[in-house]
């Protein structure tokens, strides 16, 4: 046993010998020192040096190891909630750094789109249409909505706006522009939609953190505290986030802004329901968030209607017999913000297009004429979209970044399936399977129908149902795009996170299986983040990374 301390050094000496005498023993038939022999020489030298340092400073390393062990013992003695906060804080720092690093190329560049700011300027001037005037050549066309007819002048006006009675409108929801009205016109002229996107994205991540942190000890108390950091990294960096950060236009801002308000509403609703009696002001804030989500992107409406119904049901069950005054107050808190928003949106549409249900899609100057193309949603798209969003692989290449997303023929979008970029969502299958095959499943539904749902059950039902509803809408839509995965993925990722504990409990009697489960989750997250980032690295960052790699290779003698 006393010779074990020399194993590393001995291995290094062997590798050094192989490098020096490679030609004599037949390992290298070429004379001279090639890259492989130089690398073996360096590895052998490093192993010998490490062994020598470890022997010389063994006492010092022993003391350091003991100190580290004491630190971990003291850290384990710290309250579980405090440890959760520490790992959450570290994850937030990492995610924030990734967002800033990814966004820096766009910070000082000309905005890709400036639509929300332009609409805010129009609102401040008491008008619902943009200041930009349609060019005469566009208005002179017999059919300006025909892509082929206006192709030659397509760069003379803003893309994807709606043209109606000689004026430009936005078909995107007005809420972000209403929020931007606080800024001066001078600031709005240079405030591109990429800044709106970044604020919305960071807000979505923070609300996701708040929802996870507030529910963690209910769902995942058995897990080690560091797992919350792993989950937050998966939510903040994996999936379409990396690619959306490289795009950052109004399309991405609308989707992420809607999800910010939607998840924010889920957080406040959960915070209200978990308190007995329910908090009326928290219900009102939840409803306000959901109203803002609808006002940002109308496609969220079915999911919000479902969640609002579940909250109304919970309010009714809790207050109908003993607290009629509280019942009216809570019902008003959930209904009024949504009602005011729907009336406001109806007026906004009627004032612009003469119809409460027309958002401007029919008059959109897109590559599709929506007057003629009516098959916007269809079951015919289910199979292809499922393949694109979940199963589509990435392609490999010999040079950095080694992975690239494959272009989709129907939309020219580069998409990699979530099975490769976000396999973390598969964790949701564990509790789903246990629930469906549970003998008490129907009994649980019956009890919930009589007494209402507990807060934790409401959260699981809400996240699962809303993600399925939104996923169904996207799968039925004719145009596949990366940004649309962010319509349903935030709720799905949150559901996967709160499901971690249930998977861990399956192996509660077997310590080895529990450790294997944690290792499996960590590997999923690392794989998700790696594929998500590498497959979407923009070309400028690719060149910088290649230069750095070449310098490293030159330093170690590979080039």
């Amino acid at each position: 046993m006393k010779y074990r301390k020399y194993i590393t050094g001995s291995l290094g000496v062997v590798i050094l010998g192989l490098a020096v005498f490679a030609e004599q023993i037949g390992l290298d038939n070429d004379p001279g020192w090639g890259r492989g022999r130089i690398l073996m020489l360096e590895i052998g030298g490093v192993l010998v040096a490490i062994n020598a340092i470890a022997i010389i400073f063994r006492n010092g390393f022993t003391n350091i190891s003991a100190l580290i062990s004491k630190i971990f013992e003291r850290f384990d003695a710290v309250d579980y909630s405090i440890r959760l906060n520490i790992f959450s804080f570290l994850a937030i720092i990492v995610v924030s750094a990734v967002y800033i690093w990814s966004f820096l190329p766009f910070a000082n560049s000309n905005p890709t789109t400036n639509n929300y700011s332009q609409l805010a300027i129009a609102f401040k001037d008491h008008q619902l249409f943009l200041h930009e005037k349609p060019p005469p050549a566009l208005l002179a066309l017999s059919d300006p909505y025909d892509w082929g007819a206006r192709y030659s002048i397509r760069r003379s006006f803003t893309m994807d706006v709606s043209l109606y009675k000689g004026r430009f409108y936005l078909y995107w929801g007005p809420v972000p522009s209403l929020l931007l009205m606080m800024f001066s016109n001078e600031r709005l002229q240079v405030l591109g939609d990429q800044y709106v996107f970044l604020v919305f994205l960071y807000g979505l991540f923070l609300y996701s953190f708040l929802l996870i942190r507030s529910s963690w000890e209910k769902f995942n108390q058995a897990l080690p505290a560091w797992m919350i950091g792993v989950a937050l990294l998966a939510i903040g960096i994996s999936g379409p986030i990396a690619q959306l950060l490289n795009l950052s236009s109004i399309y991405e801002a609308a989707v992420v802004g809607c999800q910010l308000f939607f998840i924010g509403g889920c957080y406040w609703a959960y915070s209200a329901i978990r308190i007995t009696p329910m908090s009326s002001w928290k219900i009102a804030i939840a409803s306000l968030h959901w109203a803002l989500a609808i006002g940002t992107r109308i496609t969220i409406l079915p999911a919000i209607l479902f969640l609002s119904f579940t909250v109304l049901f919970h309010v009714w069950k809790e207050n109908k017999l003993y607290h009629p005054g509280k019942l009216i107050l809570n019902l008003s808190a959930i209904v009024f913000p949504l009602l005011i928003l729907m009336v406001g949106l109806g007026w906004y549409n009627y004032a612009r297009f003469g119809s409460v249900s027309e958002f401007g899609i029919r008059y959109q100057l897109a590559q599709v004429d929506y007057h003629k193309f009516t098959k916007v949603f269809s079951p015919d798209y289910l199979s292809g979209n499922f393949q694109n969003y979940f199963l589509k692989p990435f392609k490999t290449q010999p040079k950095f970044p080694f992975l690239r997303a494959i272009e989709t023929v129907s939309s020219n979008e580069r998409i990699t399936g979530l099975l490769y970029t976000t396999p973390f969502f598969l964790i949701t299958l564990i509790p789903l399977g246990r629930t469906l095959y549970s003998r008490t499943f129907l009994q649980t539904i019956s009890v919930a129908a009589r007494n209402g749902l507990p807060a934790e059950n409401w959260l699981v039902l809400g996240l699962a149902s809303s993600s399925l509803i939104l996923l169904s809408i996207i799968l039925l839509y004719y145009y596949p795009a990366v940004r649309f995965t962010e319509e349903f993925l935030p709720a799905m990722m949150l559901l996967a996170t709160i499901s971690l504990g249930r998977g861990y409990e399956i192996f509660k009697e077997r310590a080895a299986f529990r450790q294997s489960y944690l290792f499996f989750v960590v590997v999923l997250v690392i794989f998700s983040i790696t594929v998500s980032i590498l497959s979407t690295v923009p070309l400028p960052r690719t060149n910088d990374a290649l230069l750095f790699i070449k310098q490293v290779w030159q330093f170690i003698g590979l080039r």
Side-chain angles (χ1 to χ4, degrees):
M1 297 295 288
K2 65 180 180 179
Y3 298 108
R4 289 179 59 184
K5 61 183 179 181
Y6 301 111
I7 291 177
T8 304
S10 301
L11 179 61
V13 170
V14 171
I15 295 176
L16 282 173
L18 292 174
V20 173
F21 300 104
E23 187 177 351
Q24 286 80 359
I25 62 178
L27 289 179
D28 190 354
N29 296 324
D30 299 323
W33 286 77
R35 295 182 200 169
R37 292 181 69 180
I38 294 174
L39 181 60
M40 289 177 64
L41 187 69
E42 291 173 344
I43 293 175
V46 168
L47 291 176
V48 171
I50 290 174
N51 201 173
I53 292 172
I55 293 173
I56 295 172
F57 301 101
R58 183 172 60 177
N59 292 335
F61 286 134
T62 301
N63 294 335
I64 293 173
S65 177
L67 178 61
I68 293 174
S69 298
K70 289 181 180 179
I71 292 174
F72 276 104
E73 288 175 2
R74 292 180 180 179
F75 186 73
D76 289 338
V78 174
D79 184 72
Y80 186 71
S81 295
I82 296 177
R83 282 182 282 151
L84 287 176
N85 293 337
I86 291 173
F87 286 112
S88 298
F89 178 71
L90 293 175
I92 290 173
I93 291 177
V94 173
V95 172
S96 302
V98 171
Y99 286 179
I100 293 172
W101 180 83
S102 300
F103 185 75
L104 280 179
F106 302 97
N108 298 317
S109 62
N110 293 326
T112 52
T113 59
N114 184 234
N115 299 33
Y116 278 138
S117 293
Q118 292 303 315
L119 185 59
I121 293 173
F123 286 164
K124 293 176 73 173
D125 291 336
H126 309 289
Q127 64 186 43
L128 303 180
F129 53 89
L130 300 177
H131 283 293
E132 180 185 356
K133 297 183 180 301
L138 177 65
L139 298 177
L141 295 174
S142 59
D143 184 5
Y145 305 105
D146 185 346
W147 169 249
R150 69 172 191 278
Y151 181 81
S152 61
I153 59 171
R154 69 191 186 282
R155 301 189 187 280
S156 62
F157 54 90
T158 302
M159 288 284 294
D160 266 2
V161 291
S162 296
L163 175 66
Y164 183 73
K165 292 186 177 181
R167 290 170 174 171
F168 282 149
Y169 298 87
L170 292 187
Y171 64 86
W172 290 281
V175 164
S177 295
L178 292 172
L179 298 176
L180 289 176
M181 289 177 65
M182 69 180 72
F183 296 103
S184 66
N185 286 3
E186 292 75 16
R187 180 62 59 85
L188 289 173
Q189 289 291 354
V190 297
L191 186 63
D193 293 320
Q194 72 265 36
Y195 293 100
V196 180
F197 165 79
L198 182 65
V199 172
F200 282 165
L201 179 64
Y202 199 71
L204 171 60
F205 173 69
L206 291 181
Y207 260 133
S208 299
F209 156 68
L210 290 174
L211 187 55
I212 289 172
R213 182 63 187 88
S214 62
S215 61
W216 184 271
E217 290 172 70
K218 290 289 186 180
F219 291 97
N220 299 324
Q221 178 74 42
L223 292 173
W226 54 266
M227 279 297 295
I228 194 172
V230 174
L232 288 173
L233 290 178
I235 288 172
I237 304 176
S238 68
I241 299 297
Q243 188 163 349
L244 297 185
L245 280 165
N246 297 326
L247 299 173
S248 303
S249 65
I250 189 171
Y251 305 98
E252 292 73 33
V255 172
V256 173
C258 174
Q259 287 300 306
L260 157 66
F261 297 123
F262 175 66
I263 297 300
C266 292
Y267 165 72
W268 286 107
Y270 173 69
S271 299
I273 293 175
R274 64 190 300 200
I275 301 172
T276 304
M278 292 176 64
S279 171
S280 301
W281 68 270
K282 288 185 177 181
I283 294 177
I285 293 178
S287 182
L288 175 61
H289 275 72
W290 286 339
L292 294 175
I294 297 171
T296 302
R297 191 165 175 81
I298 192 63
T299 51
I300 198 72
L301 180 61
I304 288 178
L305 289 178
F306 176 81
L307 287 183
S308 300
F309 173 78
T310 60
V311 174
L312 287 171
F313 179 76
H314 193 93
V315 169
W316 174 263
K317 286 295 183 180
E318 183 180 273
N319 299 289
K320 67 176 181 177
L321 295 178
Y322 307 108
H323 305 93
K326 185 74 171 177
L327 173 63
I328 295 174
L329 181 62
N330 286 344
L331 290 177
S332 301
I334 189 67
V335 170
F336 279 171
L338 293 171
L339 182 62
I340 292 171
L341 181 279
M342 295 305 296
V343 171
L345 270 184
W347 170 85
Y348 180 65
N349 291 335
Y350 186 82
R352 296 185 302 160
F353 306 112
S355 170
V356 296
S357 61
E358 178 58 60
F359 287 83
I361 297 294
R362 196 154 59 99
Y363 305 104
Q364 181 185 351
L365 299 178
Q367 295 184 18
V368 173
D369 185 350
Y370 287 102
H371 288 85
K372 302 174 182 177
F373 181 71
T374 57
K375 198 176 178 182
V376 178
F377 294 93
S378 171
D380 295 342
Y381 308 128
L382 278 172
S383 177
N385 282 340
F386 186 84
Q387 169 74 25
N388 286 324
Y389 288 126
F390 287 95
L391 306 179
K392 191 171 185 178
F394 49 80
K395 65 178 180 180
T396 59
Q397 58 188 33
K399 294 184 178 181
F400 183 87
F402 310 115
L403 310 176
R404 298 309 292 171
I406 301 174
E407 188 171 313
T408 302
V409 176
S410 57
S411 63
N412 296 326
E413 290 261 351
R414 291 189 175 274
I415 302 176
T416 302
L418 295 178
L419 192 62
Y420 301 94
T421 62
T422 325
F424 182 77
F425 81 89
L426 294 173
I427 300 295
T428 58
L429 299 178
I430 297 174
L432 178 63
R434 293 187 68 185
T435 301
L436 293 178
Y437 288 98
S438 173
R439 296 180 180 178
T440 61
F441 178 58
L442 295 178
Q443 182 181 355
T444 302
I445 295 178
S446 176
V447 172
R450 292 195 306 270
N451 305 322
L453 283 171
E456 284 66 43
N457 291 357
W458 175 88
L459 183 60
V460 172
L461 174 66
L463 293 176
S465 301
S466 60
S467 60
L468 288 176
I469 291 171
L470 296 171
L471 172 61
S472 301
I473 294 173
I474 298 306
L475 291 179
L476 292 170
Y477 188 56
Y478 82 97
Y479 189 90
V482 174
R483 61 182 178 272
F484 295 144
T485 60
E486 199 64 9
E487 302 263 19
F488 59 86
L489 194 58
M492 192 177 289
M493 293 292 280
L494 288 171
L495 181 62
T497 299
I498 64 177
S499 302
L500 285 172
R502 295 192 179 184
Y504 191 73
E505 290 173 359
I506 295 176
F507 311 112
K508 60 183 178 181
E509 303 297 334
R510 301 180 179 181
F513 283 10
R514 289 201 308 269
Q515 297 304 315
S516 299
Y517 173 75
L518 296 179
F519 178 76
F520 171 71
V521 172
V522 172
V523 170
L524 276 184
V525 173
I526 293 174
F527 179 83
S528 300
I529 294 174
T530 302
V531 173
S532 299
I533 293 178
L534 289 183
S535 62
T536 59
V537 174
L539 288 178
R541 292 302 176 90
T542 300
N543 295 332
D544 294 341
L546 282 172
L547 179 60
F548 174 74
I549 291 172
K550 287 180 179 178
Q551 291 173 343
V552 172
W553 283 350
Q554 289 173 356
F555 177 77
I556 64 176
L558 286 177
R559 286 196 175 181

